[in-house]
Amino acid sequence: MTTTLSIPLNIFFFHQIQTTPTSSNFQQPQTVTFSRRKTTLKTACSGSQENPQQHQKKQKKKKEFNTNDTDSDGEKGYDPVGFLVKRGISHKAFAQFLRERHKALKDLKDEILKRHMNFKIMASGFELLGMHRHPEHRVDYMEWAPGARYCAITADFNDWSATENCAREHYFGHDDYGYWFIILEDKLREGEEPDELYFQQYNYVDDYDKGDSGVTVEELFKKANDEYWQPGEDRYLKNHFEVPAKLYEQMFGPNGPQTIEELGDIPDAETRYKEWAAKNGPSPYAVIDEGKNYDIFNVKVDPEWHERIRALKPPIAYWLETRKGRKAWLKKYMPGIPHGSKYRVYFNTPNGPLERVPAWATYVQPELDGRQAYAIHWEPPPEDAYKWKNKSPKVPKSLRIYEAHIGISGSEPKISSFNDFTDKVLPYIKKAGYNAIQLIGVVEHKDYFTVGYRVTNFYATSSRYGTPDDFKRLVDEAHGLGLLVFMEIVHSYAAADEMVGLSLFDGSNDCFFHSGKRGQHKFWGTRMFKYGDLDVLHFLLSNLSWWIEEYQIDGYQFHSLSSMIYTHNGFASFTGDLEEYSNQYVDREALLYLIMANEILHVLYPNIVTIAEDATYYPGLCEPTSQGGLGFDYYVNLSAPEMWSTFLETVPDHEWSMTKIVNTLVSKKENADKMLLYAENHNQSISGRRSFAEILFGEVDEHSENYKESLLRGSSLHKMIRLITLTIGGRAYMNFMGNEFGHPKSVEFPTSSNDFSYSLANRQWDLLEKDGIHRDLFTFDKDMMKLDEKERVLSRVFPIFHHVNDSSMVISYVRGPLLFIFNFHPTESYDSYAVGVEEAGEYQLILNTDEIKYAGQGILKEDQYFQRTISRRVDGHRNCIEVQLPSRTAQVYKLKRILRI
């Protein structure tokens, strides 16, 4: 088993004296050097067959992971300020910061490789830490708690004893890095005898239904030795005492001492060997330590024998034949920790004893109704464990993401489950035309009302929604429908809970988090990770790999990066000066973690998608790490929903600025293809605010005189806001569950302020079953998704803006063969509005927000759906089309036929 910890090993070599070969059958021995080399991530990751071109591409991408690179080699293709040069940005202080950050990154990687063999192992701690079934009829438990003095497992199977299952000294119970190791032996059933082999192994998952082969261990070992050794080579294996007896006779003669008292003082092995070598010459089989610290040894052997042995394959097949199946294990043993057992970890610390939910627990029952929290051992029988059916879909060129929260996804006033979401919501998302889902609040958290942002157990799915296998089924079914599955990951802070969370985990204040003020979020009371600590990095990077390996997650949105990047947690004024991104308030260690996370994820999982949520738009968010960036695939434009919310709530309709709309939605042109846009996400619906539909329709009285006018205004703006947000920006768009059909109420989680009511913690799906505005808005949203699917809007080149008029409140832009026209004016309709186009030809109206089926007025008739260009210069273009533009409507035209004039 590969270990993620670098544990000093005491290695002893015994000099074996054999008869020196004669010169007739002995060639000059060669020297073979064995060194403790650093293994590259390339070797660890490349297990599949691939053609030479694919191999060359991957080799190029993984070059920075080669742990043997020299300084000159490792710097090939790296430019710490590359993206600044590309963008033509000159800022001496920020450029210096990037160079220093790059040097710190190299130093960090060197430190990591002193502890871990490669970066894959660094990001695979879940393979060793936590509870793991070992083939030798036992369960191994490992935990990191450097501040503890004693560690034990307390559980229902040992009556919550703090002494029965504890870390044992001298049995790798505790190492210098603060890792604790506990073995939970399976118990022999009554009447059963212990295994004949002390290393007897059992298959629990693979070949679990295999029975005993009927071949005895002696027969297997004989077959292995006969295949591996040539006649005579196994002489000393069969006669273990022959060599020691001859050596003893050679040293002391035939009548040597027979007791320890008679033996007297014996020189050490090195002294004896030197004396022997002085008389007989150096032995070709001597193993000589050259003075290095267990890393380099020179071994001299017969070259022919050496080559023959190297060509042999170890008789592993015979060794595996000694393994027995699960049935044999169940017949002989009872599990040391049965499936479904409840357990906690017990520590004795300088501040006294304490119990915690293990940090690497994969299934946790948080504190509920006054009951203490505990971890649940999840090890279902292999015949009952979930079996994957579908592979992840390919990542599309454009992402249409449907953001959802499992708990509020049902229509009833209760917490919905993974299975409910799988059976009812996933088919709806597919029908609605989205190609990815993003789940929030999936990771275990103590308080439901926190929406899942105050994470307590980073490796566990929330038990309030179901079991780990239920979540696997959700992901699997989504993949079967062609939907990618993203998670919002919260590594920017953690819950401050102690019993169930990581705060004061081992009794010390600086285990996972900074101590003092820096360890506390400035406003939210959460704990801030210590990103410079290698063991904390080990925990967080492994957590990213865990969700991909265990649950086949396709991507992450990294939540609230500004909370971790700055020591002021992003609560400061930003003017855009680059000095603000490199001053004393920037947490360089957090930036190094994000770089490491993106590098490791994109090398280990080439199809992974990473999204950055950063309100400060840190420079280089989506630039390659080799060019000084952080390496994200997309960044979220957080300004867009704030602008729309402000317009709807505080700005009169006739004062809306078209220039501000375009500038906000386009944000930074140089990174537009990396931008993820949404009109409103869960923040507008959950965080104590009002959704757009609530603003637009919430105060509409159906008995008032202006009811129809208010309804038309609300539905028109609802459609236009979504259409321009989808089509104007980058290659990704996101919508929160229910907003596509104008969900009339925002979400209110059960708290003491509402007597813990679930009445608003759901979605009113029944609105789609009735004729009315909500069904019409859903129809429009579905056709809008079809527009992108059919016309590839998001994946096309960036829009060309040629008409942004604040007076007429009209915006027009071209994206490929598509022409988009928006009239935001609340009262002015235009019978013949001229918009410039470059290509002369015929344009067909393919989407009109004013159609009756979309809750519009249907002003345009079918004979107006085709427009032919007029040869007149408008908006700097040689041609134009004149269209009828009713107020608060948008139209999408497609160039169907080009006319050569």
Side-chain angles (χ1 to χ4, degrees), residues 130-252:
M131 286 281 187
H132 293 283
R133 168 61 60 183
H134 192 281
E136 293 178 10
H137 50 83
R138 71 177 200 243
V139 171
D140 295 342
Y141 173 76
M142 186 178 286
E143 192 66 79
W144 180 62
R149 296 176 176 176
Y150 174 87
C151 178
I153 292 293
T154 66
D156 55 4
F157 59 82
N158 64 14
D159 294 327
W160 302 100
S161 169
T163 58
E164 184 171 336
N165 301 107
C166 61
R168 300 165 61 190
E169 292 297 330
H170 311 300
Y171 288 87
F172 185 40
H174 184 216
D175 74 355
D176 294 339
Y177 297 107
Y179 287 86
W180 296 87
F181 184 68
I182 299 174
I183 295 176
L184 301 168
E185 296 280 2
D186 293 335
K187 299 173 184 177
L188 273 173
R189 295 186 184 273
E190 188 175 351
E192 293 290 335
E193 295 293 328
D195 287 307
E196 182 181 354
L197 295 177
Y198 74 90
F199 55 82
Q200 179 65 62
Q201 295 191 350
Y202 292 85
N203 294 304
Y204 300 98
V205 181
D206 299 326
D207 301 325
Y208 64 87
D209 56 347
K210 174 186 171 185
D212 293 341
S213 62
V215 181
T216 65
V217 173
E218 289 76 12
E219 290 175 316
L220 286 174
F221 283 172
K222 184 179 184 306
K223 286 183 179 180
N225 288 333
D226 289 346
E227 180 179 307
Y228 197 77
W229 301 107
Q230 289 187 356
E233 283 187 340
D234 60 346
R235 171 183 172 190
Y236 299 110
L237 293 176
K238 295 179 179 179
N239 303 281
H240 299 294
F241 297 106
E242 182 177 345
V243 170
K246 289 196 174 199
L247 176 61
Y248 188 82
E249 184 177 342
Q250 182 177 342
M251 291 175 64
F252 301 105

Side-chain angles (χ1 to χ4, degrees), residues 377-418:
H377 181 58
W378 189 255
E379 188 188 3
E383 58 269 22
D384 296 336
Y386 188 80
K387 296 174 178 61
W388 295 92
K389 297 177 294 184
N390 303 298
K391 293 183 178 179
S392 296
K394 291 183 178 180
V395 179
K397 292 184 178 179
S398 63
L399 290 173
R400 302 183 300 275
I401 306 171
Y402 194 86
E403 190 180 37
H405 184 281
I406 301 296
I408 65 170
S409 63
S411 56
E412 299 178 17
K414 65 173 186 178
I415 297 177
S416 192
S417 68
F418 288 133

